[in-house]
Amino acid sequence: MLMPVGNTLTQPGDEAARPRIWALGGGKGGVGKSFISASMGVALAKAGKRVVLVDLDLGGANLHTSLGIRSSRFTLSDYLGGKVADINQVAEQTGIERLRLINGAADSLSIANIQFFQKAKLLRNLPKLDADYVILDLGAGTSFNTLDFFIEADHGLVSVTPDPGSVENTYRFLKCVLIRRLRTIPKKTRETMQQVLTQRREGGKRAGSLADFVEEMARLKPSVAGSLRNELDAMKLHIIVNQVIEPSDTELGRSMQMVCSRYFGTQIGYLGFLHYDRLVLKALQQRRPFLSTFPQSRLAIHVDTMVAALMAQDDI
Ligand SMILES: Nc1ncnc2c1ncn2[C@@H]1O[C@H](COP(=O)(O)OP(=O)(O)O)[C@@H](O)[C@H]1O
Ligand SMILES: [Mg+2]
């Protein structure tokens, strides 16, 4: 099994100099991860920030489409394969001031399962991008590669649509994220956790929820439970409800927040909802980024508001 590489993306160092990293993830394809990544990138650039968008949907890269870009000189594979040595060189201009893109790999077959050393190389070097913000557009699903980029970002954003399949996959994704995060805690604490899990299993107890597990830890090993809670609470996770059509869909974010708190024992943020807007398709057909094409639309204004709320949480 692959071991996570530790918090290399956000390691303390020169805090002021490194870019803040936001990752877009979610269990399902088609929920708007790429659309939201691209739109947030445009919003940040409009707000005067230098931004690099990174297409990390390793098997199905199409972030460039949301920006109206057809092709690029370099892709992520040029960097991962060693053809280009400097990560800054593969971040190409998008035509929008201050916004650059590391285009996803065109040869999806060879890159869909990047090797451990390639993931480590990326995690080490993404903070070296010359930018204020780096946005990672991840693929669907819960592969270790996807989870490891997500858990190491400063903010983990999860896009969910009102479709029940998407809601279900989002809970699964969040659970995987939190469990994967727990694997990065010190070995001794992990071993104690493992002992408690084994005792539960041998005692014939059901796996139960993450919240149940943390509670049981608090009873049996209070000091370990404290560091578990800290680790879970340290993750800045946020839900975004996308493609809202019915007024009743707007309740989804808050109710998911309550369910997460009950079952995972940690607070997940709720950034708000975005309406479904036919103009998104129109912008795609015109090969132009939605946010710069329809900046006065309700959808564009809501993206701007979300970005401003997140920026306010970062200390740069
Ligand atoms: N709020 C929205 N309104 C209308 N269309 C949207 C909205 N969000 C996303 N889309 C469209 O839905 C499709 C799927 O979105 P995409 O960002 O590719 O999803 P993902 O990256 O999660 O697979 C795209 O064609 C995208 O432009
Ligand atoms: Mg996508």
Side-chain angles (χ1 to χ4, degrees):
M1 186 194 271
L2 277 180
M3 281 304 294
V5 271
N7 292 26
T8 34
L9 273 187
T10 56
Q11 237 162 33
D14 191 352
E15 275 295 296
R18 74 166 179 86
R20 295 300 181 259
I21 299 182
W22 299 355
L24 256 298
K28 208 160 180 260
V31 294
K33 294 181 288 295
S34 300
F35 168 74
I36 296 171
S37 300
S39 302
M40 285 190 157
V42 176
L44 281 166
K46 251 194 332 187
K49 303 294 179 188
R50 295 166 311 136
V51 188
V52 176
L53 288 167
V54 187
D55 194 338
L56 281 177
D57 186 347
L58 299 170
N62 64 3
L63 180 58
H64 57 284
T65 316
S66 295
L67 290 164
I69 292 173
R70 278 175 206 271
S71 64
S72 60
R73 194 157 140 238
F74 297 120
T75 66
L76 188 62
S77 351
D78 294 319
Y79 177 66
L80 290 178
K83 200 167 124 194
V84 176
D86 179 2
I87 193 164
N88 276 293
Q89 214 185 324
V90 286
E92 295 188 75
Q93 303 298 335
T94 59
I96 293 175
E97 210 181 340
R98 293 180 292 274
L99 181 66
R100 293 188 296 154
L101 166 72
I102 298 186
N103 207 345
D107 53 342
S108 48
L109 270 184
S110 65
I111 203 154
N113 300 299
I114 57 166
Q115 310 271 322
F116 178 74
F117 77 91
Q118 292 176 309
K119 175 170 64 178
K121 174 178 167 175
L122 258 182
L123 286 168
R124 251 192 340 269
N125 288 286
L126 285 169
K128 295 183 188 155
L129 279 165
D130 184 19
D132 302 312
Y133 286 90
V134 171
I135 299 184
L136 311 179
D137 176 26
L138 301 173
T142 54
S143 75
F144 286 157
N145 280 338
T146 299
L147 294 177
D148 286 346
F149 287 112
F150 193 84
I151 62 175
E152 297 206 10
D154 292 288
H155 291 282
L157 313 178
V158 190
S159 167
V160 56
T161 61
D163 140 42
S166 161
V167 174
E168 195 180 315
N169 280 11
T170 301
Y171 287 131
R172 195 174 304 143
F173 178 77
L174 286 169
K175 186 174 173 186
C176 291
V177 162
L178 293 167
I179 289 173
R180 186 74 176 159
R181 174 74 178 212
L182 289 184
R183 293 186 59 84
T184 66
I185 60 182
K187 193 158 170 246
K188 235 176 143 243
T189 316
R190 248 188 6 248
E191 281 167 1
T192 314
M193 247 167 64
Q194 199 56 53
Q195 281 165 13
V196 172
L197 275 174
T198 311
Q199 276 168 18
R200 278 174 76 106
R201 227 183 354 255
E202 286 171 359
K205 281 197 181 160
R206 297 189 310 115
S209 70
L210 196 55
D212 289 343
F213 173 64
V214 177
E215 231 168 72
E216 184 151 356
M217 287 294 286
R219 238 176 343 99
L220 301 173
K221 312 268 179 194
S223 62
V224 172
S227 56
L228 274 190
R229 282 219 175 89
N230 288 345
E231 201 60 44
L232 295 176
D233 294 345
M235 294 210 64
K236 293 182 188 145
L237 302 175
H238 312 263
I239 295 169
I240 296 172
V241 179
N242 187 29
Q243 299 178 0
V244 161
I245 298 174
E246 302 297 330
S248 58
D249 297 339
T250 60
E251 307 294 323
L252 180 62
R254 292 271 173 238
S255 68
M256 286 187 73
Q257 244 190 333
M258 282 194 289
V259 173
C260 288
S261 156
R262 190 167 342 123
Y263 286 96
F264 302 148
T266 189
Q267 287 298 326
I268 311 268
Y270 171 50
L271 263 191
F273 59 85
L274 299 172
H275 288 96
Y276 178 86
D277 189 334
R278 287 169 188 278
L279 292 177
V280 173
L281 179 61
K282 197 158 185 179
L284 279 176
Q285 286 166 338
Q286 292 175 4
R287 294 203 166 267
R288 295 168 68 193
F290 173 78
L291 228 77
S292 37
T293 314
F294 300 106
Q296 297 310 325
S297 63
R298 180 172 61 170
L299 178 54
I301 290 167
H302 282 174
V303 173
D304 283 333
T305 310
M306 282 184 187
V307 164
L310 269 183
M311 274 166 70
Q313 293 184 27
D314 285 330
D315 50 353
I316 56 169

